[in-house]
Amino acid sequence: MKDFKEIIAKKLEEKELGLGYKEIYDLIEIPPQENMGDFAFPCFTLAKTMRKNPKLIAEEVASSLEIDGVEKIVNENAYVNFYLDRQKVTNDVINEVIEKEDDYGKSDMGKGINELVEFSSVNIAKPFHIGHIRSTVIGDVIRNIYEYLGYNVTASNYIGDYGTQFGVMIAAYKLWGDKEAIDKDPINELLNLYVRYTKEEEDNEEYQEKARQEFKNLEDGEEEAMRLWQWFKDLSLREFDRVYGMLDIKYDNYHGESYHSQWMPAALEELKEKNLLVESDGAYIVDLSEFNLPPSMLIKSNGSSAYITRDVATALYRHRTYGLDKNIYIVGSQQKLHFQQLKKILYLMGHEDVSEEVLHVQFGMVSLKDQVLSTRKGHVVFLEDVLNKTIEKTYSIMKDRDNQIENLDEAAKIVGIGAVKFQELYNSRIKDYVFDWDELLNFEGETGPYVHYTYARAKSVLRKAGKEEFGQMNFEKLNTDEEYSLIKALESFQDAIILAKNRLEPSVVARKVMEIAQKFNKFYNSTQILVDDEKLKEERLALTKATSIVIKNGLGILGIKTVEQM
């Protein structure tokens, strides 16, 4: 379909209003009410350049414009409102959706541009808990959005497999470890060791020093430390892969802290050569006071590296390896200072381009009702347990609603896990939210099950009609407000994806999918689809087919599969 916003902006530019095309384009908006047209141009800004009342300007502009494909142009106070030719929009949108199907909404705008998205980044020897859901799911969708728009994307899981906590784990295992128990129940047993040791070391300097020494041994390649570390890592990755399998999330690499540590010596040498490392109480820091930031420690007083040291080496490695436009980190908002420091260290090193690539995509916290999550204190809720419980609850609800569903087990898994993802993604990523089973499994609210049910309803209508294939059609009879409102929602699908990419905000896509589902249900409830008039029936079935395609595409971007029956 033609980009009418672009066409309108070009026509307005020809009127020599004192604004450039880009300024005009950015001012054009969608009216808040559908009976006010498809686009609106506010004339308030023109009052300065044209020295007239904005209402008078709107009247003059509206009366002097003619645009092919625009049925009516009128002024509403200080706005110029544009009403598109409904039949033309209907023809263009439905035919394009049905023709392109899985490719509807895709773009090649990102062709030849490389992006890296780092997300999930769970820690070895610690639980994959409910708190990890946000980075994992948000990152997956941001990767999907970029790929949908034609970008080359590398999905990286920066596994936390290095650092002081491994000194804790090794020291704890040497004191109390039971290999047989760990092999049987790896994450729970390793968690118990970690929690026990951290409690002991709170008031015991000897325990703290022992953990630091064990990590130093690991950095130095000491044989036993390396053996235990590799064992912990293998056990953990096996457990994590099971959860990623349930979530249907895949990565291009699992290059974590240990992988990138091989480039730390070169990064530290460069920092030294450029006189950026400053000695402070036996440690080495980078002074960031000129940026009003606290100093950043890169080498600890015992000679071991800090987390940010590995991030510096990682950013430089990724720049060399991938030729990135953006190096995107999906990490909680608590790490804002860390990424500010990382960018400035890279800048001081003379790597302004690498610094510009670093993009921290923040998100808020997730919590469970009446529960505080803390790995250190052992207060964790395993994500796998949450997913399994959701699947069980979904199975029970779906069985009570309709026991005719084929393969109810598989359907409950898709709808249940989809419900968890949708609730996560429907919320603005920066906001904290409370995980609530009752809310996310509501089939009537703004939830994943509601969207799934809408898709299944559309597919049911098509099955009942015995009509799934449609060629190019001339739509003459779709003229209700409900039909046109749904068609416009389908038309704006790609705009929503591009906006989601620009804002790095998955909720834009989730809310567009919800809007389409709600408008389809309004159309479905107000309109009889399987009517005697064959032409009208076929047109409404084609609209139903187009809706099912776009909902499926939207859910796919959100990492959610669909079910044919509910």
Side-chain angles (χ1 to χ4, degrees), residues 452-471:
H452 270 120
Y453 183 71
T454 304
Y455 174 80
R457 167 179 271 178
K459 297 295 284 186
S460 174
V461 170
L462 295 168
R463 282 195 302 273
K464 188 174 180 181
K467 180 78 172 173
E468 280 277 5
E469 300 298 323
F470 299 85

mmCIF file of all heavy atoms in Angstrom, residues 452-471:
data_model
loop_
_atom_site.group_PDB
_atom_site.id
_atom_site.type_symbol
_atom_site.label_atom_id
_atom_site.label_comp_id
_atom_site.label_asym_id
_atom_site.label_seq_id
_atom_site.Cartn_x
_atom_site.Cartn_y
_atom_site.Cartn_z
ATOM 1 N N HIS A 452 -4.740 -15.461 21.552
ATOM 2 C CA HIS A 452 -4.780 -16.830 21.033
ATOM 3 C C HIS A 452 -6.215 -17.238 20.675
ATOM 4 O O HIS A 452 -6.462 -17.851 19.626
ATOM 5 C CB HIS A 452 -4.234 -17.809 22.076
ATOM 6 C CG HIS A 452 -2.761 -18.049 21.977
ATOM 7 N ND1 HIS A 452 -1.885 -17.776 22.996
ATOM 8 C CD2 HIS A 452 -2.000 -18.534 20.971
ATOM 9 C CE1 HIS A 452 -0.669 -18.098 22.627
ATOM 10 N NE2 HIS A 452 -0.704 -18.557 21.402
ATOM 11 N N TYR A 453 -7.139 -16.915 21.541
ATOM 12 C CA TYR A 453 -8.539 -17.271 21.313
ATOM 13 C C TYR A 453 -9.083 -16.563 20.074
ATOM 14 O O TYR A 453 -9.840 -17.149 19.278
ATOM 15 C CB TYR A 453 -9.381 -16.916 22.546
ATOM 16 C CG TYR A 453 -10.830 -17.316 22.407
ATOM 17 C CD1 TYR A 453 -11.209 -18.653 22.448
ATOM 18 C CD2 TYR A 453 -11.813 -16.355 22.223
ATOM 19 C CE1 TYR A 453 -12.545 -19.030 22.306
ATOM 20 C CE2 TYR A 453 -13.149 -16.710 22.076
ATOM 21 C CZ TYR A 453 -13.499 -18.056 22.118
ATOM 22 O OH TYR A 453 -14.820 -18.427 21.967
ATOM 23 N N THR A 454 -8.679 -15.307 19.881
ATOM 24 C CA THR A 454 -9.121 -14.542 18.716
ATOM 25 C C THR A 454 -8.602 -15.174 17.431
ATOM 26 O O THR A 454 -9.340 -15.317 16.446
ATOM 27 C CB THR A 454 -8.630 -13.085 18.812
ATOM 28 O OG1 THR A 454 -9.084 -12.518 20.046
ATOM 29 C CG2 THR A 454 -9.134 -12.252 17.656
ATOM 30 N N TYR A 455 -7.344 -15.567 17.435
ATOM 31 C CA TYR A 455 -6.758 -16.224 16.262
ATOM 32 C C TYR A 455 -7.509 -17.532 15.971
ATOM 33 O O TYR A 455 -7.881 -17.799 14.820
ATOM 34 C CB TYR A 455 -5.275 -16.503 16.495
ATOM 35 C CG TYR A 455 -4.624 -17.306 15.393
ATOM 36 C CD1 TYR A 455 -4.218 -16.691 14.220
ATOM 37 C CD2 TYR A 455 -4.446 -18.684 15.515
ATOM 38 C CE1 TYR A 455 -3.651 -17.428 13.190
ATOM 39 C CE2 TYR A 455 -3.878 -19.430 14.491
ATOM 40 C CZ TYR A 455 -3.473 -18.791 13.328
ATOM 41 O OH TYR A 455 -2.912 -19.517 12.312
ATOM 42 N N ALA A 456 -7.712 -18.328 17.015
ATOM 43 C CA ALA A 456 -8.412 -19.608 16.835
ATOM 44 C C ALA A 456 -9.844 -19.388 16.345
ATOM 45 O O ALA A 456 -10.366 -20.171 15.534
ATOM 46 C CB ALA A 456 -8.420 -20.386 18.154
ATOM 47 N N ARG A 457 -10.481 -18.304 16.806
ATOM 48 C CA ARG A 457 -11.848 -17.985 16.368
ATOM 49 C C ARG A 457 -11.852 -17.677 14.863
ATOM 50 O O ARG A 457 -12.716 -18.156 14.128
ATOM 51 C CB ARG A 457 -12.363 -16.784 17.166
ATOM 52 C CG ARG A 457 -13.629 -16.164 16.612
ATOM 53 C CD ARG A 457 -14.088 -14.997 17.467
ATOM 54 N NE ARG A 457 -14.984 -15.467 18.528
ATOM 55 C CZ ARG A 457 -15.527 -14.684 19.457
ATOM 56 N NH1 ARG A 457 -15.207 -13.391 19.486
ATOM 57 N NH2 ARG A 457 -16.332 -15.176 20.366
ATOM 58 N N ALA A 458 -10.886 -16.890 14.409
ATOM 59 C CA ALA A 458 -10.798 -16.556 12.980
ATOM 60 C C ALA A 458 -10.581 -17.818 12.145
ATOM 61 O O ALA A 458 -11.225 -18.015 11.103
ATOM 62 C CB ALA A 458 -9.671 -15.550 12.750
ATOM 63 N N LYS A 459 -9.699 -18.686 12.623
ATOM 64 C CA LYS A 459 -9.424 -19.924 11.890
ATOM 65 C C LYS A 459 -10.658 -20.837 11.875
ATOM 66 O O LYS A 459 -10.914 -21.541 10.899
ATOM 67 C CB LYS A 459 -8.230 -20.649 12.513
ATOM 68 C CG LYS A 459 -6.916 -19.867 12.441
ATOM 69 C CD LYS A 459 -6.435 -19.661 11.027
ATOM 70 C CE LYS A 459 -5.817 -20.906 10.446
ATOM 71 N NZ LYS A 459 -5.222 -20.672 9.117
ATOM 72 N N SER A 460 -11.422 -20.817 12.951
ATOM 73 C CA SER A 460 -12.638 -21.629 13.037
ATOM 74 C C SER A 460 -13.670 -21.167 12.008
ATOM 75 O O SER A 460 -14.336 -21.989 11.366
ATOM 76 C CB SER A 460 -13.218 -21.542 14.448
ATOM 77 O OG SER A 460 -14.463 -22.207 14.526
ATOM 78 N N VAL A 461 -13.792 -19.847 11.848
ATOM 79 C CA VAL A 461 -14.726 -19.297 10.853
ATOM 80 C C VAL A 461 -14.335 -19.765 9.453
ATOM 81 O O VAL A 461 -15.180 -20.179 8.653
ATOM 82 C CB VAL A 461 -14.740 -17.749 10.924
ATOM 83 C CG1 VAL A 461 -15.515 -17.163 9.744
ATOM 84 C CG2 VAL A 461 -15.353 -17.275 12.235
ATOM 85 N N LEU A 462 -13.043 -19.710 9.153
ATOM 86 C CA LEU A 462 -12.554 -20.120 7.831
ATOM 87 C C LEU A 462 -12.789 -21.613 7.601
ATOM 88 O O LEU A 462 -13.163 -22.033 6.501
ATOM 89 C CB LEU A 462 -11.070 -19.768 7.693
ATOM 90 C CG LEU A 462 -10.738 -18.267 7.717
ATOM 91 C CD1 LEU A 462 -9.241 -18.047 7.866
ATOM 92 C CD2 LEU A 462 -11.247 -17.575 6.454
ATOM 93 N N ARG A 463 -12.564 -22.419 8.642
ATOM 94 C CA ARG A 463 -12.802 -23.874 8.516
ATOM 95 C C ARG A 463 -14.281 -24.155 8.267
ATOM 96 O O ARG A 463 -14.637 -24.989 7.430
ATOM 97 C CB ARG A 463 -12.338 -24.607 9.783
ATOM 98 C CG ARG A 463 -10.837 -24.816 9.879
ATOM 99 C CD ARG A 463 -10.502 -25.846 10.947
ATOM 100 N NE ARG A 463 -11.014 -25.486 12.262
ATOM 101 C CZ ARG A 463 -10.365 -24.711 13.139
ATOM 102 N NH1 ARG A 463 -9.175 -24.220 12.828
ATOM 103 N NH2 ARG A 463 -10.902 -24.447 14.313
ATOM 104 N N LYS A 464 -15.124 -23.457 9.011
ATOM 105 C CA LYS A 464 -16.568 -23.661 8.880
ATOM 106 C C LYS A 464 -17.035 -23.307 7.467
ATOM 107 O O LYS A 464 -17.915 -23.971 6.897
ATOM 108 C CB LYS A 464 -17.306 -22.813 9.913
ATOM 109 C CG LYS A 464 -18.796 -23.085 9.992
ATOM 110 C CD LYS A 464 -19.430 -22.301 11.134
ATOM 111 C CE LYS A 464 -20.934 -22.577 11.212
ATOM 112 N NZ LYS A 464 -21.566 -21.803 12.312
ATOM 113 N N ALA A 465 -16.429 -22.259 6.906
ATOM 114 C CA ALA A 465 -16.804 -21.823 5.557
ATOM 115 C C ALA A 465 -16.153 -22.691 4.486
ATOM 116 O O ALA A 465 -16.557 -22.645 3.308
ATOM 117 C CB ALA A 465 -16.405 -20.371 5.347
ATOM 118 N N GLY A 466 -15.136 -23.467 4.879
ATOM 119 C CA GLY A 466 -14.409 -24.277 3.917
ATOM 120 C C GLY A 466 -13.623 -23.438 2.932
ATOM 121 O O GLY A 466 -13.444 -23.801 1.761
ATOM 122 N N LYS A 467 -13.148 -22.283 3.415
ATOM 123 C CA LYS A 467 -12.474 -21.328 2.532
ATOM 124 C C LYS A 467 -11.213 -20.803 3.202
ATOM 125 O O LYS A 467 -11.280 -20.098 4.199
ATOM 126 C CB LYS A 467 -13.424 -20.163 2.231
ATOM 127 C CG LYS A 467 -12.870 -19.092 1.316
ATOM 128 C CD LYS A 467 -12.884 -19.494 -0.143
ATOM 129 C CE LYS A 467 -12.496 -18.326 -1.038
ATOM 130 N NZ LYS A 467 -12.326 -18.706 -2.440
ATOM 131 N N GLU A 468 -10.047 -21.174 2.656
ATOM 132 C CA GLU A 468 -8.763 -20.717 3.206
ATOM 133 C C GLU A 468 -7.928 -19.973 2.167
ATOM 134 O O GLU A 468 -7.028 -19.224 2.516
ATOM 135 C CB GLU A 468 -7.961 -21.918 3.734
ATOM 136 C CG GLU A 468 -8.384 -22.397 5.104
ATOM 137 C CD GLU A 468 -7.762 -21.618 6.251
ATOM 138 O OE1 GLU A 468 -7.053 -20.631 5.986
ATOM 139 O OE2 GLU A 468 -8.007 -21.996 7.408
ATOM 140 N N GLU A 469 -8.219 -20.220 0.864
ATOM 141 C CA GLU A 469 -7.410 -19.615 -0.193
ATOM 142 C C GLU A 469 -8.185 -18.493 -0.878
ATOM 143 O O GLU A 469 -9.364 -18.632 -1.210
ATOM 144 C CB GLU A 469 -7.028 -20.681 -1.237
ATOM 145 C CG GLU A 469 -6.221 -21.847 -0.678
ATOM 146 C CD GLU A 469 -4.887 -21.416 -0.106
ATOM 147 O OE1 GLU A 469 -4.268 -20.493 -0.684
ATOM 148 O OE2 GLU A 469 -4.462 -21.986 0.920
ATOM 149 N N PHE A 470 -7.473 -17.375 -1.084
ATOM 150 C CA PHE A 470 -8.084 -16.219 -1.727
ATOM 151 C C PHE A 470 -7.107 -15.622 -2.745
ATOM 152 O O PHE A 470 -5.929 -15.438 -2.443
ATOM 153 C CB PHE A 470 -8.441 -15.134 -0.698
ATOM 154 C CG PHE A 470 -9.426 -15.581 0.339
ATOM 155 C CD1 PHE A 470 -8.998 -16.250 1.484
ATOM 156 C CD2 PHE A 470 -10.785 -15.344 0.185
ATOM 157 C CE1 PHE A 470 -9.900 -16.675 2.447
ATOM 158 C CE2 PHE A 470 -11.699 -15.765 1.139
ATOM 159 C CZ PHE A 470 -11.249 -16.437 2.281
ATOM 160 N N GLY A 471 -7.596 -15.306 -3.931
ATOM 161 C CA GLY A 471 -6.774 -14.607 -4.913
ATOM 162 C C GLY A 471 -6.986 -13.111 -4.802
ATOM 163 O O GLY A 471 -7.596 -12.621 -3.845
#
